[in-house]
Amino acid sequence: MNRGALMVVAWLWVGLPFAYGLYQLIVKVVQLFQS
């Protein structure tokens, strides 16, 4: 695996859980303000 591909994999490894957590946070905040 070359360096560029390794960087992409590393960014996805960190970025995807972070993005999912951010999405969950937004969903909860929206629910909080709707109730």
PDB file of all heavy atoms in Angstrom:
ATOM      1  N   MET A   1       0.860  -1.198   0.000  1.00  0.00           N
ATOM      2  CA  MET A   1       0.000   0.000   0.000  1.00  0.00           C
ATOM      3  C   MET A   1       0.897   1.250   0.000  1.00  0.00           C
ATOM      4  O   MET A   1       1.791   1.357   0.824  1.00  0.00           O
ATOM      5  CB  MET A   1      -0.889  -0.020   1.252  1.00  0.00           C
ATOM      6  CG  MET A   1      -2.130   0.843   1.080  1.00  0.00           C
ATOM      7  SD  MET A   1      -3.205   0.971   2.530  1.00  0.00           S
ATOM      8  CE  MET A   1      -3.445  -0.696   3.052  1.00  0.00           C
ATOM      9  N   ASN A   2       0.628   2.162  -0.907  1.00  0.00           N
ATOM     10  CA  ASN A   2       1.456   3.371  -0.936  1.00  0.00           C
ATOM     11  C   ASN A   2       1.010   4.370   0.137  1.00  0.00           C
ATOM     12  O   ASN A   2      -0.002   4.177   0.806  1.00  0.00           O
ATOM     13  CB  ASN A   2       1.464   4.003  -2.343  1.00  0.00           C
ATOM     14  CG  ASN A   2       0.101   4.532  -2.755  1.00  0.00           C
ATOM     15  OD1 ASN A   2      -0.825   4.577  -1.947  1.00  0.00           O
ATOM     16  ND2 ASN A   2      -0.015   4.943  -3.994  1.00  0.00           N
ATOM     17  N   ARG A   3       1.790   5.423   0.288  1.00  0.00           N
ATOM     18  CA  ARG A   3       1.560   6.389   1.360  1.00  0.00           C
ATOM     19  C   ARG A   3       0.210   7.101   1.246  1.00  0.00           C
ATOM     20  O   ARG A   3      -0.470   7.320   2.251  1.00  0.00           O
ATOM     21  CB  ARG A   3       2.706   7.404   1.339  1.00  0.00           C
ATOM     22  CG  ARG A   3       2.791   8.252   2.576  1.00  0.00           C
ATOM     23  CD  ARG A   3       4.038   9.144   2.496  1.00  0.00           C
ATOM     24  NE  ARG A   3       4.023  10.158   3.537  1.00  0.00           N
ATOM     25  CZ  ARG A   3       4.483   9.981   4.761  1.00  0.00           C
ATOM     26  NH1 ARG A   3       5.025   8.820   5.091  1.00  0.00           N
ATOM     27  NH2 ARG A   3       4.430  10.949   5.649  1.00  0.00           N
ATOM     28  N   GLY A   4      -0.180   7.444   0.011  1.00  0.00           N
ATOM     29  CA  GLY A   4      -1.461   8.134  -0.196  1.00  0.00           C
ATOM     30  C   GLY A   4      -2.647   7.282   0.234  1.00  0.00           C
ATOM     31  O   GLY A   4      -3.550   7.767   0.909  1.00  0.00           O
ATOM     32  N   ALA A   5      -2.624   6.006  -0.150  1.00  0.00           N
ATOM     33  CA  ALA A   5      -3.713   5.102   0.228  1.00  0.00           C
ATOM     34  C   ALA A   5      -3.758   4.912   1.738  1.00  0.00           C
ATOM     35  O   ALA A   5      -4.833   4.852   2.336  1.00  0.00           O
ATOM     36  CB  ALA A   5      -3.546   3.767  -0.470  1.00  0.00           C
ATOM     37  N   LEU A   6      -2.590   4.831   2.354  1.00  0.00           N
ATOM     38  CA  LEU A   6      -2.509   4.682   3.804  1.00  0.00           C
ATOM     39  C   LEU A   6      -3.111   5.896   4.510  1.00  0.00           C
ATOM     40  O   LEU A   6      -3.836   5.764   5.497  1.00  0.00           O
ATOM     41  CB  LEU A   6      -1.041   4.492   4.210  1.00  0.00           C
ATOM     42  CG  LEU A   6      -0.787   3.930   5.606  1.00  0.00           C
ATOM     43  CD1 LEU A   6      -1.352   2.523   5.730  1.00  0.00           C
ATOM     44  CD2 LEU A   6       0.706   3.914   5.891  1.00  0.00           C
ATOM     45  N   MET A   7      -2.835   7.082   3.988  1.00  0.00           N
ATOM     46  CA  MET A   7      -3.409   8.311   4.535  1.00  0.00           C
ATOM     47  C   MET A   7      -4.930   8.304   4.434  1.00  0.00           C
ATOM     48  O   MET A   7      -5.620   8.683   5.377  1.00  0.00           O
ATOM     49  CB  MET A   7      -2.857   9.550   3.801  1.00  0.00           C
ATOM     50  CG  MET A   7      -1.414   9.873   4.126  1.00  0.00           C
ATOM     51  SD  MET A   7      -1.161  10.378   5.841  1.00  0.00           S
ATOM     52  CE  MET A   7      -1.983  11.968   5.830  1.00  0.00           C
ATOM     53  N   VAL A   8      -5.440   7.868   3.287  1.00  0.00           N
ATOM     54  CA  VAL A   8      -6.894   7.798   3.094  1.00  0.00           C
ATOM     55  C   VAL A   8      -7.527   6.846   4.104  1.00  0.00           C
ATOM     56  O   VAL A   8      -8.521   7.174   4.744  1.00  0.00           O
ATOM     57  CB  VAL A   8      -7.239   7.389   1.642  1.00  0.00           C
ATOM     58  CG1 VAL A   8      -8.724   7.065   1.506  1.00  0.00           C
ATOM     59  CG2 VAL A   8      -6.831   8.483   0.665  1.00  0.00           C
ATOM     60  N   VAL A   9      -6.925   5.668   4.259  1.00  0.00           N
ATOM     61  CA  VAL A   9      -7.442   4.678   5.212  1.00  0.00           C
ATOM     62  C   VAL A   9      -7.396   5.229   6.635  1.00  0.00           C
ATOM     63  O   VAL A   9      -8.362   5.085   7.398  1.00  0.00           O
ATOM     64  CB  VAL A   9      -6.656   3.353   5.102  1.00  0.00           C
ATOM     65  CG1 VAL A   9      -7.011   2.404   6.256  1.00  0.00           C
ATOM     66  CG2 VAL A   9      -6.938   2.679   3.763  1.00  0.00           C
ATOM     67  N   ALA A  10      -6.304   5.888   6.995  1.00  0.00           N
ATOM     68  CA  ALA A  10      -6.168   6.454   8.343  1.00  0.00           C
ATOM     69  C   ALA A  10      -7.220   7.532   8.592  1.00  0.00           C
ATOM     70  O   ALA A  10      -7.838   7.572   9.662  1.00  0.00           O
ATOM     71  CB  ALA A  10      -4.759   7.022   8.529  1.00  0.00           C
ATOM     72  N   TRP A  11      -7.443   8.415   7.610  1.00  0.00           N
ATOM     73  CA  TRP A  11      -8.450   9.474   7.755  1.00  0.00           C
ATOM     74  C   TRP A  11      -9.852   8.898   7.883  1.00  0.00           C
ATOM     75  O   TRP A  11     -10.654   9.368   8.689  1.00  0.00           O
ATOM     76  CB  TRP A  11      -8.378  10.456   6.592  1.00  0.00           C
ATOM     77  CG  TRP A  11      -7.373  11.535   6.827  1.00  0.00           C
ATOM     78  CD1 TRP A  11      -6.163  11.659   6.242  1.00  0.00           C
ATOM     79  CD2 TRP A  11      -7.490  12.640   7.745  1.00  0.00           C
ATOM     80  NE1 TRP A  11      -5.522  12.765   6.739  1.00  0.00           N
ATOM     81  CE2 TRP A  11      -6.311  13.388   7.652  1.00  0.00           C
ATOM     82  CE3 TRP A  11      -8.496  13.053   8.635  1.00  0.00           C
ATOM     83  CZ2 TRP A  11      -6.098  14.539   8.419  1.00  0.00           C
ATOM     84  CZ3 TRP A  11      -8.286  14.192   9.394  1.00  0.00           C
ATOM     85  CH2 TRP A  11      -7.093  14.917   9.288  1.00  0.00           C
ATOM     86  N   LEU A  12     -10.165   7.848   7.098  1.00  0.00           N
ATOM     87  CA  LEU A  12     -11.481   7.212   7.202  1.00  0.00           C
ATOM     88  C   LEU A  12     -11.652   6.540   8.566  1.00  0.00           C
ATOM     89  O   LEU A  12     -12.719   6.612   9.169  1.00  0.00           O
ATOM     90  CB  LEU A  12     -11.671   6.183   6.080  1.00  0.00           C
ATOM     91  CG  LEU A  12     -11.892   6.755   4.691  1.00  0.00           C
ATOM     92  CD1 LEU A  12     -11.924   5.629   3.672  1.00  0.00           C
ATOM     93  CD2 LEU A  12     -13.165   7.578   4.618  1.00  0.00           C
ATOM     94  N   TRP A  13     -10.573   5.887   9.043  1.00  0.00           N
ATOM     95  CA  TRP A  13     -10.598   5.185  10.330  1.00  0.00           C
ATOM     96  C   TRP A  13     -10.959   6.146  11.473  1.00  0.00           C
ATOM     97  O   TRP A  13     -11.676   5.800  12.403  1.00  0.00           O
ATOM     98  CB  TRP A  13      -9.223   4.558  10.566  1.00  0.00           C
ATOM     99  CG  TRP A  13      -9.151   3.655  11.755  1.00  0.00           C
ATOM    100  CD1 TRP A  13      -8.633   3.974  12.980  1.00  0.00           C
ATOM    101  CD2 TRP A  13      -9.593   2.300  11.839  1.00  0.00           C
ATOM    102  NE1 TRP A  13      -8.733   2.885  13.817  1.00  0.00           N
ATOM    103  CE2 TRP A  13      -9.313   1.848  13.141  1.00  0.00           C
ATOM    104  CE3 TRP A  13     -10.200   1.425  10.937  1.00  0.00           C
ATOM    105  CZ2 TRP A  13      -9.628   0.556  13.561  1.00  0.00           C
ATOM    106  CZ3 TRP A  13     -10.503   0.143  11.361  1.00  0.00           C
ATOM    107  CH2 TRP A  13     -10.220  -0.278  12.656  1.00  0.00           C
ATOM    108  N   VAL A  14     -10.454   7.373  11.388  1.00  0.00           N
ATOM    109  CA  VAL A  14     -10.739   8.392  12.401  1.00  0.00           C
ATOM    110  C   VAL A  14     -12.030   9.143  12.077  1.00  0.00           C
ATOM    111  O   VAL A  14     -12.841   9.410  12.953  1.00  0.00           O
ATOM    112  CB  VAL A  14      -9.552   9.385  12.506  1.00  0.00           C
ATOM    113  CG1 VAL A  14      -9.888  10.544  13.444  1.00  0.00           C
ATOM    114  CG2 VAL A  14      -8.298   8.661  12.961  1.00  0.00           C
ATOM    115  N   GLY A  15     -12.204   9.476  10.801  1.00  0.00           N
ATOM    116  CA  GLY A  15     -13.292  10.371  10.385  1.00  0.00           C
ATOM    117  C   GLY A  15     -14.676   9.753  10.434  1.00  0.00           C
ATOM    118  O   GLY A  15     -15.627  10.445  10.795  1.00  0.00           O
ATOM    119  N   LEU A  16     -14.791   8.488  10.078  1.00  0.00           N
ATOM    120  CA  LEU A  16     -16.118   7.878  10.039  1.00  0.00           C
ATOM    121  C   LEU A  16     -16.771   7.769  11.426  1.00  0.00           C
ATOM    122  O   LEU A  16     -17.914   8.183  11.573  1.00  0.00           O
ATOM    123  CB  LEU A  16     -16.075   6.518   9.327  1.00  0.00           C
ATOM    124  CG  LEU A  16     -15.892   6.600   7.810  1.00  0.00           C
ATOM    125  CD1 LEU A  16     -15.737   5.203   7.227  1.00  0.00           C
ATOM    126  CD2 LEU A  16     -17.035   7.334   7.135  1.00  0.00           C
ATOM    127  N   PRO A  17     -16.077   7.249  12.448  1.00  0.00           N
ATOM    128  CA  PRO A  17     -16.694   7.248  13.787  1.00  0.00           C
ATOM    129  C   PRO A  17     -16.999   8.656  14.292  1.00  0.00           C
ATOM    130  O   PRO A  17     -18.018   8.883  14.947  1.00  0.00           O
ATOM    131  CB  PRO A  17     -15.643   6.573  14.679  1.00  0.00           C
ATOM    132  CG  PRO A  17     -14.772   5.829  13.753  1.00  0.00           C
ATOM    133  CD  PRO A  17     -14.789   6.582  12.456  1.00  0.00           C
ATOM    134  N   PHE A  18     -16.110   9.614  13.988  1.00  0.00           N
ATOM    135  CA  PHE A  18     -16.327  10.999  14.389  1.00  0.00           C
ATOM    136  C   PHE A  18     -17.579  11.562  13.733  1.00  0.00           C
ATOM    137  O   PHE A  18     -18.414  12.193  14.391  1.00  0.00           O
ATOM    138  CB  PHE A  18     -15.090  11.841  14.022  1.00  0.00           C
ATOM    139  CG  PHE A  18     -15.248  13.295  14.373  1.00  0.00           C
ATOM    140  CD1 PHE A  18     -15.128  13.712  15.681  1.00  0.00           C
ATOM    141  CD2 PHE A  18     -15.521  14.228  13.377  1.00  0.00           C
ATOM    142  CE1 PHE A  18     -15.279  15.053  16.005  1.00  0.00           C
ATOM    143  CE2 PHE A  18     -15.680  15.568  13.698  1.00  0.00           C
ATOM    144  CZ  PHE A  18     -15.558  15.975  15.015  1.00  0.00           C
ATOM    145  N   ALA A  19     -17.724  11.328  12.425  1.00  0.00           N
ATOM    146  CA  ALA A  19     -18.894  11.806  11.682  1.00  0.00           C
ATOM    147  C   ALA A  19     -20.171  11.153  12.215  1.00  0.00           C
ATOM    148  O   ALA A  19     -21.202  11.811  12.350  1.00  0.00           O
ATOM    149  CB  ALA A  19     -18.727  11.527  10.194  1.00  0.00           C
ATOM    150  N   TYR A  20     -20.103   9.871  12.534  1.00  0.00           N
ATOM    151  CA  TYR A  20     -21.267   9.165  13.077  1.00  0.00           C
ATOM    152  C   TYR A  20     -21.666   9.742  14.441  1.00  0.00           C
ATOM    153  O   TYR A  20     -22.840   9.974  14.704  1.00  0.00           O
ATOM    154  CB  TYR A  20     -20.969   7.667  13.191  1.00  0.00           C
ATOM    155  CG  TYR A  20     -22.125   6.878  13.745  1.00  0.00           C
ATOM    156  CD1 TYR A  20     -23.244   6.641  12.960  1.00  0.00           C
ATOM    157  CD2 TYR A  20     -22.100   6.391  15.051  1.00  0.00           C
ATOM    158  CE1 TYR A  20     -24.327   5.927  13.463  1.00  0.00           C
ATOM    159  CE2 TYR A  20     -23.172   5.677  15.558  1.00  0.00           C
ATOM    160  CZ  TYR A  20     -24.280   5.444  14.767  1.00  0.00           C
ATOM    161  OH  TYR A  20     -25.334   4.751  15.271  1.00  0.00           O
ATOM    162  N   GLY A  21     -20.693  10.000  15.274  1.00  0.00           N
ATOM    163  CA  GLY A  21     -20.952  10.596  16.582  1.00  0.00           C
ATOM    164  C   GLY A  21     -21.551  11.988  16.455  1.00  0.00           C
ATOM    165  O   GLY A  21     -22.466  12.355  17.192  1.00  0.00           O
ATOM    166  N   LEU A  22     -21.045  12.758  15.517  1.00  0.00           N
ATOM    167  CA  LEU A  22     -21.573  14.099  15.259  1.00  0.00           C
ATOM    168  C   LEU A  22     -23.020  14.014  14.781  1.00  0.00           C
ATOM    169  O   LEU A  22     -23.872  14.785  15.217  1.00  0.00           O
ATOM    170  CB  LEU A  22     -20.697  14.779  14.203  1.00  0.00           C
ATOM    171  CG  LEU A  22     -20.756  16.293  14.116  1.00  0.00           C
ATOM    172  CD1 LEU A  22     -20.260  16.919  15.409  1.00  0.00           C
ATOM    173  CD2 LEU A  22     -19.897  16.760  12.949  1.00  0.00           C
ATOM    174  N   TYR A  23     -23.304  13.066  13.893  1.00  0.00           N
ATOM    175  CA  TYR A  23     -24.665  12.841  13.403  1.00  0.00           C
ATOM    176  C   TYR A  23     -25.607  12.484  14.557  1.00  0.00           C
ATOM    177  O   TYR A  23     -26.696  13.046  14.665  1.00  0.00           O
ATOM    178  CB  TYR A  23     -24.647  11.732  12.347  1.00  0.00           C
ATOM    179  CG  TYR A  23     -26.025  11.270  11.945  1.00  0.00           C
ATOM    180  CD1 TYR A  23     -26.807  12.060  11.108  1.00  0.00           C
ATOM    181  CD2 TYR A  23     -26.531  10.059  12.401  1.00  0.00           C
ATOM    182  CE1 TYR A  23     -28.084  11.647  10.744  1.00  0.00           C
ATOM    183  CE2 TYR A  23     -27.795   9.641  12.035  1.00  0.00           C
ATOM    184  CZ  TYR A  23     -28.575  10.439  11.211  1.00  0.00           C
ATOM    185  OH  TYR A  23     -29.817  10.026  10.866  1.00  0.00           O
ATOM    186  N   GLN A  24     -25.180  11.583  15.432  1.00  0.00           N
ATOM    187  CA  GLN A  24     -25.994  11.203  16.582  1.00  0.00           C
ATOM    188  C   GLN A  24     -26.267  12.409  17.478  1.00  0.00           C
ATOM    189  O   GLN A  24     -27.370  12.569  17.994  1.00  0.00           O
ATOM    190  CB  GLN A  24     -25.277  10.113  17.397  1.00  0.00           C
ATOM    191  CG  GLN A  24     -25.204   8.783  16.706  1.00  0.00           C
ATOM    192  CD  GLN A  24     -26.549   8.116  16.562  1.00  0.00           C
ATOM    193  OE1 GLN A  24     -27.396   8.204  17.446  1.00  0.00           O
ATOM    194  NE2 GLN A  24     -26.759   7.447  15.443  1.00  0.00           N
ATOM    195  N   LEU A  25     -25.268  13.246  17.681  1.00  0.00           N
ATOM    196  CA  LEU A  25     -25.410  14.439  18.500  1.00  0.00           C
ATOM    197  C   LEU A  25     -26.448  15.386  17.907  1.00  0.00           C
ATOM    198  O   LEU A  25     -27.326  15.887  18.620  1.00  0.00           O
ATOM    199  CB  LEU A  25     -24.052  15.151  18.607  1.00  0.00           C
ATOM    200  CG  LEU A  25     -24.042  16.435  19.442  1.00  0.00           C
ATOM    201  CD1 LEU A  25     -24.234  16.115  20.912  1.00  0.00           C
ATOM    202  CD2 LEU A  25     -22.737  17.178  19.233  1.00  0.00           C
ATOM    203  N   ILE A  26     -26.374  15.609  16.599  1.00  0.00           N
ATOM    204  CA  ILE A  26     -27.324  16.494  15.921  1.00  0.00           C
ATOM    205  C   ILE A  26     -28.744  15.953  16.035  1.00  0.00           C
ATOM    206  O   ILE A  26     -29.676  16.700  16.331  1.00  0.00           O
ATOM    207  CB  ILE A  26     -26.905  16.704  14.445  1.00  0.00           C
ATOM    208  CG1 ILE A  26     -25.621  17.545  14.394  1.00  0.00           C
ATOM    209  CG2 ILE A  26     -28.020  17.392  13.654  1.00  0.00           C
ATOM    210  CD1 ILE A  26     -24.943  17.534  13.045  1.00  0.00           C
ATOM    211  N   VAL A  27     -28.909  14.639  15.845  1.00  0.00           N
ATOM    212  CA  VAL A  27     -30.229  14.012  15.974  1.00  0.00           C
ATOM    213  C   VAL A  27     -30.783  14.227  17.377  1.00  0.00           C
ATOM    214  O   VAL A  27     -31.952  14.593  17.544  1.00  0.00           O
ATOM    215  CB  VAL A  27     -30.151  12.512  15.633  1.00  0.00           C
ATOM    216  CG1 VAL A  27     -31.437  11.777  16.043  1.00  0.00           C
ATOM    217  CG2 VAL A  27     -29.893  12.322  14.146  1.00  0.00           C
ATOM    218  N   LYS A  28     -29.970  14.055  18.396  1.00  0.00           N
ATOM    219  CA  LYS A  28     -30.420  14.220  19.778  1.00  0.00           C
ATOM    220  C   LYS A  28     -30.768  15.667  20.090  1.00  0.00           C
ATOM    221  O   LYS A  28     -31.741  15.949  20.792  1.00  0.00           O
ATOM    222  CB  LYS A  28     -29.358  13.702  20.742  1.00  0.00           C
ATOM    223  CG  LYS A  28     -29.258  12.187  20.736  1.00  0.00           C
ATOM    224  CD  LYS A  28     -28.582  11.668  21.982  1.00  0.00           C
ATOM    225  CE  LYS A  28     -28.680  10.157  22.124  1.00  0.00           C
ATOM    226  NZ  LYS A  28     -28.529   9.407  20.881  1.00  0.00           N
ATOM    227  N   VAL A  29     -29.985  16.600  19.584  1.00  0.00           N
ATOM    228  CA  VAL A  29     -30.259  18.026  19.806  1.00  0.00           C
ATOM    229  C   VAL A  29     -31.582  18.422  19.134  1.00  0.00           C
ATOM    230  O   VAL A  29     -32.392  19.135  19.725  1.00  0.00           O
ATOM    231  CB  VAL A  29     -29.083  18.887  19.270  1.00  0.00           C
ATOM    232  CG1 VAL A  29     -29.477  20.348  19.193  1.00  0.00           C
ATOM    233  CG2 VAL A  29     -27.863  18.710  20.173  1.00  0.00           C
ATOM    234  N   VAL A  30     -31.801  17.935  17.913  1.00  0.00           N
ATOM    235  CA  VAL A  30     -33.050  18.216  17.206  1.00  0.00           C
ATOM    236  C   VAL A  30     -34.240  17.657  18.008  1.00  0.00           C
ATOM    237  O   VAL A  30     -35.244  18.347  18.183  1.00  0.00           O
ATOM    238  CB  VAL A  30     -33.011  17.648  15.781  1.00  0.00           C
ATOM    239  CG1 VAL A  30     -34.401  17.665  15.135  1.00  0.00           C
ATOM    240  CG2 VAL A  30     -32.032  18.456  14.924  1.00  0.00           C
ATOM    241  N   GLN A  31     -34.120  16.436  18.502  1.00  0.00           N
ATOM    242  CA  GLN A  31     -35.187  15.822  19.289  1.00  0.00           C
ATOM    243  C   GLN A  31     -35.445  16.623  20.574  1.00  0.00           C
ATOM    244  O   GLN A  31     -36.593  16.784  21.000  1.00  0.00           O
ATOM    245  CB  GLN A  31     -34.835  14.386  19.661  1.00  0.00           C
ATOM    246  CG  GLN A  31     -34.956  13.425  18.495  1.00  0.00           C
ATOM    247  CD  GLN A  31     -34.467  12.026  18.838  1.00  0.00           C
ATOM    248  OE1 GLN A  31     -33.876  11.817  19.901  1.00  0.00           O
ATOM    249  NE2 GLN A  31     -34.710  11.093  17.955  1.00  0.00           N
ATOM    250  N   LEU A  32     -34.385  17.123  21.183  1.00  0.00           N
ATOM    251  CA  LEU A  32     -34.489  17.908  22.399  1.00  0.00           C
ATOM    252  C   LEU A  32     -35.297  19.182  22.171  1.00  0.00           C
ATOM    253  O   LEU A  32     -36.164  19.543  22.956  1.00  0.00           O
ATOM    254  CB  LEU A  32     -33.087  18.250  22.893  1.00  0.00           C
ATOM    255  CG  LEU A  32     -32.955  18.821  24.310  1.00  0.00           C
ATOM    256  CD1 LEU A  32     -33.278  17.753  25.323  1.00  0.00           C
ATOM    257  CD2 LEU A  32     -31.545  19.337  24.520  1.00  0.00           C
ATOM    258  N   PHE A  33     -35.033  19.864  21.067  1.00  0.00           N
ATOM    259  CA  PHE A  33     -35.725  21.108  20.762  1.00  0.00           C
ATOM    260  C   PHE A  33     -37.134  20.895  20.236  1.00  0.00           C
ATOM    261  O   PHE A  33     -37.962  21.797  20.314  1.00  0.00           O
ATOM    262  CB  PHE A  33     -34.910  21.966  19.794  1.00  0.00           C
ATOM    263  CG  PHE A  33     -33.767  22.669  20.459  1.00  0.00           C
ATOM    264  CD1 PHE A  33     -32.458  22.284  20.207  1.00  0.00           C
ATOM    265  CD2 PHE A  33     -33.978  23.708  21.341  1.00  0.00           C
ATOM    266  CE1 PHE A  33     -31.393  22.913  20.815  1.00  0.00           C
ATOM    267  CE2 PHE A  33     -32.933  24.353  21.963  1.00  0.00           C
ATOM    268  CZ  PHE A  33     -31.632  23.957  21.696  1.00  0.00           C
ATOM    269  N   GLN A  34     -37.422  19.707  19.694  1.00  0.00           N
ATOM    270  CA  GLN A  34     -38.759  19.432  19.193  1.00  0.00           C
ATOM    271  C   GLN A  34     -39.740  19.067  20.311  1.00  0.00           C
ATOM    272  O   GLN A  34     -40.914  19.348  20.198  1.00  0.00           O
ATOM    273  CB  GLN A  34     -38.711  18.288  18.170  1.00  0.00           C
ATOM    274  CG  GLN A  34     -38.227  18.737  16.814  1.00  0.00           C
ATOM    275  CD  GLN A  34     -38.137  17.593  15.836  1.00  0.00           C
ATOM    276  OE1 GLN A  34     -38.190  16.419  16.220  1.00  0.00           O
ATOM    277  NE2 GLN A  34     -37.994  17.910  14.571  1.00  0.00           N
ATOM    278  N   SER A  35     -39.230  18.471  21.395  1.00  0.00           N
ATOM    279  CA  SER A  35     -40.123  18.024  22.448  1.00  0.00           C
ATOM    280  C   SER A  35     -40.624  19.180  23.319  1.00  0.00           C
ATOM    281  O   SER A  35     -40.067  20.238  23.333  1.00  0.00           O
ATOM    282  CB  SER A  35     -39.420  16.996  23.341  1.00  0.00           C
ATOM    283  OG  SER A  35     -38.281  17.553  23.939  1.00  0.00           O
TER     284      SER A  35
END
